[in-house]
Amino acid sequence: MGARTGQQYLDKLNAMTPELYVDGEKVTSKVAEHPAFRNNALTYAKLFDLQHDPAHRDVLTYESPTTGERVGTSFLVPRDEEDLKRRRAAFSVWAQYSNGFLGRTGDYMNSSLTALSTAKKFFSQADPVYGERIQKYYEMARENDLLATHTLIPPQVNRSVSGSQQGGGNLSAKVVEEREDGIVVRGARMLATIAPIADELLVFPSTVLRGTPEDAPYSYAFAVPNDAPGLKYFCRAGLDHGRSHFDEPLASRFEEMDAVVVFDDVFVPNERVFLLGHPELCNAWYSETGAGALMTHQVVTRTLAKTEFYLGLASEIAAAIGIGGFQHIQQDLSELISYVEIEKAVLRAAEADGKLSEDGVFLPKWEVLNAARNWYPTKVSPRLTEIIRKFSASGLMALPGEADFEAEGRPDLDTYLQSATLPAKDRARLFKLAFDASVSSFAGRESLYEYFFFGDPVRMAGAQVNAYPREALQERVRELLAREGQ
């Protein structure tokens, strides 16, 4: 098949029979037509269509090494710096289309599969068959252009104990039976973003396992179709309220549903089991395979697009209401400009300083990307929305809906809600966008999502400190202290 069109994606989605629960309703068919998922599915369909747009085809796709069909560039195994740049160019097309608000586009998990498919040495520590299985799965996903999501952590019941200890060990998803032809999984996991509109669910290691016998049933990596028997998704309340693009410009396009995943004795055949047991390898899943590096390369490309959007939005607001000449406004715009340029520099440095892995994959420099993934959630992302709120002030509240501009009060709106450069309706349209980007329920979910994207920022910071090579720098300090007469 190769790269799919949007219609092919929607047709397959409608043909699937998942078990979804949303707003008290059970949904098992025609997912792409359901109000809770329709708009987001249509947006994802547009991403698939971009692969066939002559303006983007050669960036978003390449020739499959096995079939010659055009397949997604996010499946390209990077062998040198130019391949990393090629992958980033493809990431940028999708990221700029969504302005970074889609956090689970296919290129994210595709990047993980791409790295894992080549990690022969890693999988051979357990059994080479695991590496062979995931390579075949990667090729299947590549040739069929599958959209995958993943689920990461145990249910949030008692954070003071490990997942294997919660609810007597019966809450977190675990292997309850090992059969000759596969495994049976029971329990729950959080938090599968875009689960209702995906083709596949990847269940990969996440939280650190202690390596005790009690952790063995929780040590695994596998994949299942999104409508596998016994697989259930419990969705949060939607943030797309069915309003127009005028009234909810972001939520009506980019609302990505999140869901708790329940495994009700889900059977996973052997060919879809990529690791079983070996908690020490589960803990090293992302670092030793290169998956973490390729995934973060995609994420930083996306967050750059998002930061650029906020710089553009802040600049539009400043121009619209005539505040661009004030020094405190320029200081904030300068801050946003700095964020954009730093993120660009991070990507270039990560690519230029990349190295070949033992498996022959050219990986971007991890220390650079790791700095970015620690910096953005806590330092950059909160400031983006804060600056928009500061610039907009009460303008975020003085926002009639689209219907009001078609009612008899229109003349008053035209008089009193115009801006320095825009007529009232255009000003309202701009500030509706600012509202959805900074204070709406959609914006609140985005802020939470970005803050915890890679996990608890405090733990991430600790991991960065413990892994970073600082001894040579400390030695320079000691050498200076030891100098005499200089």
Side-chain angles (χ1 to χ4, degrees), residues 1 89 109 134 138 161 217 272 303 345 377 415 428 430 457 465:
M1 174 184 291
M109 292 312 299
I134 204 161
Y138 151 80
V161 298
R272 284 172 165 266
T303 58
T415 299
L430 173 62
V465 169

Side-chain angles (χ1 to χ4, degrees), residues 30 56 90 101 154 156 161 165 173 182 215 223 295 301-302 304 380:
K30 301 290 186 182
H56 302 296
F101 285 103
Q156 193 186 75
V161 298
Q165 294 176 297
D215 280 336
M295 294 167 78
T301 305
R302 177 185 66 79
L304 168 60
V380 180

Side-chain angles (χ1 to χ4, degrees), residues 224-461:
V224 291
N226 233 18
D227 56 357
L231 189 65
K232 305 175 184 178
Y233 291 114
F234 292 87
C235 304
R236 59 163 169 76
L239 305 176
D240 173 6
H241 302 111
R243 307 286 299 276
S244 67
H245 289 335
F246 182 102
D247 287 322
E248 293 184 321
L250 297 178
S252 64
R253 294 176 170 97
F254 307 127
E255 147 75 327
E256 292 182 308
M257 182 59 73
D258 306 296
V260 175
V261 186
V262 172
F263 299 86
D264 190 359
D265 288 354
V266 175
F267 173 69
V268 186
N270 281 332
E271 61 268 22
R272 284 172 165 266
V273 178
F274 310 130
L275 195 61
L276 190 60
H278 303 281
E280 74 287 354
L281 296 183
C282 287
N283 291 340
W285 181 264
Y286 295 100
S287 60
E288 292 188 14
T289 63
L294 290 191
M295 294 167 78
T296 308
H297 188 225
Q298 185 272 346
V299 172
V300 177
T301 305
R302 177 185 66 79
T303 58
L304 168 60
K306 197 171 192 177
T307 308
E308 289 174 329
F309 167 82
Y310 276 92
L311 171 58
L313 178 58
S315 299
E316 280 289 288
I317 294 168
I321 57 177
I323 60 174
F326 297 127
Q327 288 186 326
H328 67 289
I329 297 297
Q330 293 178 346
Q331 183 180 37
D332 288 338
L333 289 172
S334 172
E335 181 181 343
L336 293 176
I337 291 170
S338 296
Y339 291 154
V340 166
E341 293 303 320
I342 289 170
E343 287 180 88
K344 289 179 182 178
V346 163
L347 287 166
R348 291 188 63 182
E351 294 161 0
D353 294 340
K355 291 183 179 179
L356 281 172
S357 71
E358 293 185 16
D359 293 301
V361 181
F362 195 84
L363 297 173
K365 187 174 178 62
W366 173 244
E367 288 80 5
V368 176
L369 293 176
N370 197 23
R373 75 174 193 146
N374 275 270
W375 170 68
Y376 181 85
T378 59
K379 301 297 191 297
V380 180
S381 181
R383 284 291 289 155
L384 302 181
T385 54
E386 183 180 2
I387 288 172
I388 296 302
R389 291 192 296 270
K390 176 180 177 181
F391 281 23
S392 303
S394 60
L396 292 175
M397 300 303 173
L399 286 176
E402 183 175 25
D404 293 306
F405 285 94
E406 306 304 323
E408 61 179 279
R410 174 71 182 265
D412 284 334
L413 298 182
D414 287 341
T415 299
Y416 299 114
L417 290 185
Q418 61 182 300
S419 79
T421 62
L422 298 174
K425 188 172 182 180
D426 289 343
R427 179 190 184 279
R429 190 191 309 274
L430 173 62
F431 275 73
K432 286 279 190 178
L433 178 58
F435 183 89
D436 224 7
S438 63
V439 297
S440 70
S441 54
F442 174 86
R445 183 265 178 192
E446 282 287 313
S447 295
L448 185 68
Y449 181 80
E450 297 290 9
Y451 190 82
F452 289 105
F453 188 92
F454 284 109
D456 179 355
V458 175
R459 292 186 179 183
M460 286 172 55

